Structure formats: C-alpha cells, structure tokens
Amino acid sequence: MQKIKNLACLLLFSLLLFSCGEYQKVLNKGTVEDQYKMAVKMYETQKYSKALRLFEKVTPAYRGKPQMERIQFMVAQSNFNEKNYTDAGYYFDRFVKNYPTSSKIEEASFLSAYSYKLASPVFSKDPTDTNKALEAFQSFINTYPDSDKIVEANAHYKELRYKLQKKYFEIAKTYYTTADYDVRNYKAAIQAFDNLLSDYLGSEFKEEALYYRLKAAHDFVLKSYDRRKQERIKDAIEAYEKLKRNYPESQYMEEANEMLAVLQSEKIRIDALIEQLKEINVENSKEK
C-alpha cells in the first residue's frame, strides 16, 4: 500500500514538473497561437497569474481580431480572481467600452463597478477608487434598471456614498477641532460643512453637520475682532435657523439655543458700538 502511495506521489510530481516545463516552454519559445491556447488552459484551470503573463504576450498579435473580445474579458476576470481589483475595474471598463454589443457587457459593467468597490480603501484614504466605483454603479443602475443585480448594485452604491460622506464630514470636523491652534480653520470648517451639505442632499450626517456648522460659526465670532463680527454674527444666526428649521427636535437644540443667546447678546453689543462710531463720525464732520 505504501509503495502505491509513493508511486502515486511520484506520478503527480512528474506531471507537475511536466506541466510547469510545458508552460515555461510555451511562454518563452511558443508561437502566438500556442501561447493563446496555453493562456486559455491556464485560465480554465484557475491558474490566473500564469494566464495573465501569457495574455500580456499575445495581446498585441490579437488586437483587432475576433479573439480579442474573449481575451479582454479573461484578462479582466483573471485580475479580479487574483484580487488585483483596481486593474480588474479598469479592464472590465475597457471591455464595456470596446464591446458594447457583447453578451457579457452587463456582467462586465457590474464587475467593473464591484472591482473598484473592492479596491476602495477605508474612508480616510484616497477616494479615487471609491469615486470610480460610485460612477460605475450609477452607470450600471441607469443602464440596467431591470437587471437581477440591481438590488445589489443599489446597496453597494449606498454603502460607497456613505463612505464618502463620512470622509468629508470627518475632514470638516478636523478643521473645526484644530481651529484652536489656527483660527483660519474655522473658515475652512464652515466651507467644508457647506460643501458636504450641498453635495450630499439628504446626507446621513446632515443633522450633525448643521450642528458643527453652527458651532464653527459661533466660535469664529467669539475669536474675531469686533470690526469683523457683524457679518460673521449674521452667518452664525443663519446657521442656527437652518438647524432649527430642519431639526426642530434635534438633540443639539439646547446647546444651539445657548449659542444663539450668546450671538444675540454679541449682536446687540456690536450694533451699539457701530451706532456709537457713526455718531462720533457725524460729530467729527460737523467740527470740520
């Protein structure tokens, strides 16, 4: 029995050596046709990295030929299976653009978007692939509204949109929390929250963003010189009114009302100061 096992292992090892030797021979010295056949064989036996090396070699020779449609799809799928998701997204997207009448176009369109989603990093990182995934899923949803993948596509789109909102919310919040060290960051925070609220209508972060928008504007007033306060107080009060209009029962309303009271008190003081300065200017004009 042991001899049979040993013989079987030896036979398997020999087959593997032969297979590897055959692959290397075709890769290095085979004809284009042999390399194409070996690439398909590697693809079908799920040896995707080897398939990709061969497809790379034969692509120039098959460009513009009927086989190229199949090659492009297998290249995209091989990258996907090898978890090269950014490359997979790119190649699936190219397939969609190059072969609009293909029977695989719907599948490729979905896989392009899904590949970019899988390549999409955590919300705090570069959002390039996240944006590509969003655009690709939006295109898929618009183009194939009756697809059996539409529910999944919508779920992926919603998840990606949330990720981007979270990223921009955290950026805006970081500007606010660092404004104690650099007062210019109050202005940056206000602008960042405004951008979030205008770019993502109905955002899951809307209530919190409106609250921090008010808080940044309120604190900016208190850190400003008197000559700068009039317009900034007006902006902060408008931020309060927007929060109250959208979320009258907000968990932040008690604190927001306290901030409003401070702003109104400061407005009374600044208005009085402005009137006083006007009177002084009038008196000075009379004396002249």
Side-chain angles (χ1 to χ4, degrees), residues 80 85 113-121 133 160:
F80 182 86
Y85 294 124
Y114 189 49
S115 296
Y116 282 129
K117 178 181 184 285
L118 292 174
S120 174
L160 288 161

Side-chain angles (χ1 to χ4, degrees), residues 9 27-28 30 32 61-62 69 80 88 111 135 137 142 158 200 212 236 244 255 272:
C9 288
L27 177 68
N28 296 322
V32 171
Y62 282 98
E69 179 180 339
F80 182 86
L111 286 172
E135 290 173 12
F137 274 122
N142 292 341
K158 186 176 181 181
Y200 295 95
Y212 274 105
K244 186 174 182 179
E255 186 179 349

Side-chain angles (χ1 to χ4, degrees), residues 16-262:
L16 287 171
L17 281 177
F18 176 76
S19 176
C20 290
E22 184 187 11
Y23 169 80
Q24 287 298 331
K25 183 179 177 181
V26 172
L27 177 68
N28 296 322
K29 297 181 180 179
T31 65
V32 171
E33 187 178 353
D34 288 339
Q35 289 173 341
Y36 172 70
K37 288 179 180 178
M38 179 62 76
V40 173
K41 180 181 177 182
M42 293 295 102
Y43 176 83
E44 289 175 345
T45 55
Q46 301 182 10
K47 296 171 183 172
Y48 301 111
S49 61
K50 288 184 176 181
L52 284 168
R53 291 181 68 190
L54 286 161
F55 283 133
E56 186 178 349
K57 297 199 75 167
V58 304
T59 291
Y62 282 98
R63 193 167 283 124
K65 295 182 179 179
Q67 295 93 331
M68 197 60 208
E69 179 180 339
R70 189 182 181 198
I71 289 171
Q72 273 207 0
F73 189 87
M74 288 190 289
V75 167
Q77 188 70 62
S78 294
N79 275 293
F80 182 86
N81 292 335
E82 284 292 293
K83 299 183 179 180
N84 304 325
Y85 294 124
T86 298
D87 289 342
Y90 168 76
Y91 283 114
F92 278 125
D93 183 53
R94 277 185 60 185
F95 181 89
V96 169
K97 290 172 180 171
N98 291 340
Y99 303 101
T101 60
S102 171
S103 61
K104 287 185 172 290
I105 189 170
E106 182 180 330
E107 181 183 1
S109 181
F110 178 84
L111 286 172
S112 175
Y114 189 49
S115 296
Y116 282 129
K117 178 181 184 285
L118 292 174
S120 174
V122 295
F123 75 87
S124 59
K125 303 294 184 182
D126 180 7
T128 299
D129 284 324
T130 305
N131 283 318
K132 286 180 180 178
L134 271 172
E135 290 173 12
F137 274 122
Q138 186 65 72
S139 176
F140 179 85
I141 291 163
N142 292 341
T143 307
Y144 304 104
D146 299 320
S147 170
D148 59 1
K149 290 280 190 181
I150 200 68
V151 173
E152 186 178 350
N154 278 311
H156 289 312
Y157 182 86
K158 186 176 181 181
E159 182 183 338
L160 288 161
R161 192 171 183 271
Y162 178 86
K163 181 188 285 189
L164 274 185
Q165 289 177 62
K166 185 172 178 62
K167 177 182 179 65
Y168 296 128
F169 175 78
E170 292 297 337
I171 288 172
K173 194 173 174 181
T174 297
Y175 278 129
Y176 171 72
T177 56
T178 57
D180 279 343
Y181 309 103
D182 186 347
V183 73
R184 292 173 299 180
N185 282 355
Y186 284 123
K187 202 169 184 179
I190 290 167
Q191 186 61 60
F193 283 121
D194 282 344
N195 291 342
L196 171 66
L197 291 163
S198 63
D199 291 345
Y200 295 95
L201 300 176
S203 168
E204 290 90 335
F205 294 92
K206 184 175 181 179
E207 181 181 355
E208 198 171 356
L210 287 171
Y211 162 71
Y212 274 105
R213 167 65 169 83
L214 165 59
K215 200 167 174 62
H218 166 271
D219 293 1
F220 194 30
V221 167
L222 298 184
K223 293 289 179 72
S224 298
Y225 293 112
D226 283 350
R227 58 190 171 86
R228 301 271 191 179
K229 284 188 176 182
Q230 190 175 35
E231 280 302 313
R232 291 173 185 175
I233 289 171
K234 181 182 176 184
D235 175 71
I237 291 175
E238 286 174 358
Y240 166 85
E241 290 169 349
K242 193 170 184 180
L243 173 63
K244 186 174 182 179
R245 185 168 61 251
N246 283 274
Y247 299 98
E249 304 299 326
S250 172
Q251 61 178 316
Y252 302 115
M253 272 326 295
E254 184 177 349
E255 186 179 349
N257 287 331
E258 291 173 1
M259 285 189 277
L260 177 65
V262 171

